[in-house]
């Protein structure tokens, strides 16, 4: 299945051109994170995918969520199918642009961030900079990661979470720090005085991370 997406292309594209794939949260769409484009590096290709499912609250979803059971709110198979679908589309878009020797970056918000964690930790050789915003690593979708610390040396993670997040509790977000520390992955974990979203300071720090 081919996902719909928005794309910003640089003037020149070579096999080494960096590309950033962005995955929105539950009930949103591909236009959400695409608003970051004006402050992202101009020589990057930026692709913002639309999730394939209609959500119950308008917008789109990567997988269904059972809000009545917060500790059992996703179906493992459906979650892993979403990861597989995104991976297939990442490879398809990269091939379309002839990218063969380039850094590939990921940015996911909330539900999109759950998929980004799974992608980065299952296929660490394929990615470079990873940003997970207001999200958490879901154990059900990380059963197949290889705990070989050398595989994660090249990854760079930026993790952010709001201290007053009422959708995904801060404690869930903090699980990422423990996981990435155990894998000896390089990461920055930052907490902001905000709810389930990205405030101005968070945004500026994220852009600095991508521009380093």
């Amino acid at each position: 299945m081919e996902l719909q997406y928005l794309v910003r292309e640089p003037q020149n594209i070579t096999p080494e051109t960096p590309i950033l794939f962005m995955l929105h949260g539950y009930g949103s769409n591909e236009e959400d994170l695409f608003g970051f484009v004006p402050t992202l590096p101009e020589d990057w290709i930026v692709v913002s995918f639309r999730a394939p499912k209609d959500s119950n609250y308008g917008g789109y979803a990567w997988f269904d969520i059972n809000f009545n059971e917060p500790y059992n709110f996703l179906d493992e198979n459906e979650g892993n199918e979403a990861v597989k679908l995104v991976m297939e589309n990442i490879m398809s878009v990269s091939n379309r642009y002839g990218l063969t020797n380039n850094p590939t970056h990921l940015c996911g918000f909330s539900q999109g961030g759950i998929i980004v964690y799974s992608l980065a930790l299952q296929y660490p050789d394929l990615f470079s900079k990873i940003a997970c915003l207001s999200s958490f690593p879901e154990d059900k979708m990380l059963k197949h990661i290889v705990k070989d610390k050398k595989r994660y040396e090249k990854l760079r993670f930026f993790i952010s979470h709001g201290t007053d997040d009422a959708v995904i509790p801060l404690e869930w977000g903090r699980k990422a720090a423990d996981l990435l520390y155990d894998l000896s992955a390089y990461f920055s974990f930052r907490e902001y005085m905000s709810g389930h979203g990205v405030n101005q300071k968070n945004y500026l720090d994220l852009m600095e991370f991508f521009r380093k």
Side-chain angles (χ1 to χ4, degrees):
M1 176 184 179
E2 190 169 322
L3 295 173
Q4 293 190 47
Y5 61 86
L6 295 173
V7 61
R8 192 282 308 271
E9 298 175 349
Q11 284 190 325
N12 298 308
I13 298 176
T14 72
E16 291 81 29
T17 296
I19 189 167
L20 168 65
F21 291 97
M22 303 197 290
L23 279 68
H24 64 76
Y26 183 91
S28 188
N29 60 45
E30 69 277 20
E31 295 180 3
D32 187 12
L33 298 181
F34 202 68
F36 293 175
V37 161
T39 44
L40 287 167
E42 294 179 0
D43 59 340
W44 289 12
I45 302 170
V46 181
V47 173
S48 184
F49 286 128
R50 175 194 291 181
K53 298 174 66 73
D54 290 329
S55 80
N56 295 327
Y57 302 91
Y60 301 90
W62 299 102
F63 46 82
D64 291 329
I65 291 178
N66 184 350
F67 288 101
N68 296 319
E69 294 186 51
Y71 288 95
N72 189 33
F73 72 99
L74 70 87
D75 178 82
E76 182 177 339
N77 290 331
E78 192 182 7
N80 287 322
E81 281 300 313
V83 172
K84 180 182 176 185
L85 175 63
V86 173
M87 188 65 209
E88 289 171 352
N89 277 266
I90 285 174
M91 300 303 290
S92 175
V93 172
S94 296
N95 289 337
R96 201 170 300 151
Y97 284 107
L99 306 177
T100 54
N101 189 31
N102 68 308
T104 299
H105 311 305
L106 299 172
C107 178
F109 177 80
S110 193
Q111 192 184 58
I114 295 174
I115 294 178
V116 165
Y117 275 121
S118 187
L119 285 168
L121 295 175
Q122 286 190 68
Y123 309 103
D125 304 332
L126 300 180
F127 301 108
S128 182
K129 293 184 177 182
I130 313 296
C132 294
L133 319 173
S134 304
S135 188
F136 72 100
E138 169 55 61
D139 293 338
K140 290 180 181 178
M141 293 161 62
L142 296 173
K143 290 181 177 178
H144 303 297
I145 69 172
V146 180
K147 303 219 170 155
D148 177 357
K149 295 179 179 180
K150 288 191 174 180
R151 291 194 68 195
Y152 303 100
E153 287 178 344
K154 294 181 181 178
L155 291 178
R156 297 289 180 269
F157 284 87
F158 176 91
I159 315 298
S160 68
H161 215 100
T163 54
D164 301 313
D165 193 327
V167 178
I168 295 179
L170 178 58
E171 310 89 77
W172 293 19
R174 285 174 174 164
K175 293 196 313 184
D178 296 331
L179 173 64
L180 296 175
Y181 180 82
D182 288 342
L183 294 173
S184 295
Y186 178 90
F187 70 94
S188 170
F189 183 90
R190 304 193 185 191
E191 298 176 10
Y192 299 89
M193 294 183 67
S194 66
H196 191 63
V198 178
N199 67 14
Q200 184 68 9
K201 182 68 170 74
N202 190 169
Y203 181 77
L204 293 173
D205 290 344
L206 174 64
M207 292 304 116
E208 182 184 3
F209 166 74
F210 278 138
R211 288 184 170 277
K212 281 181 184 174

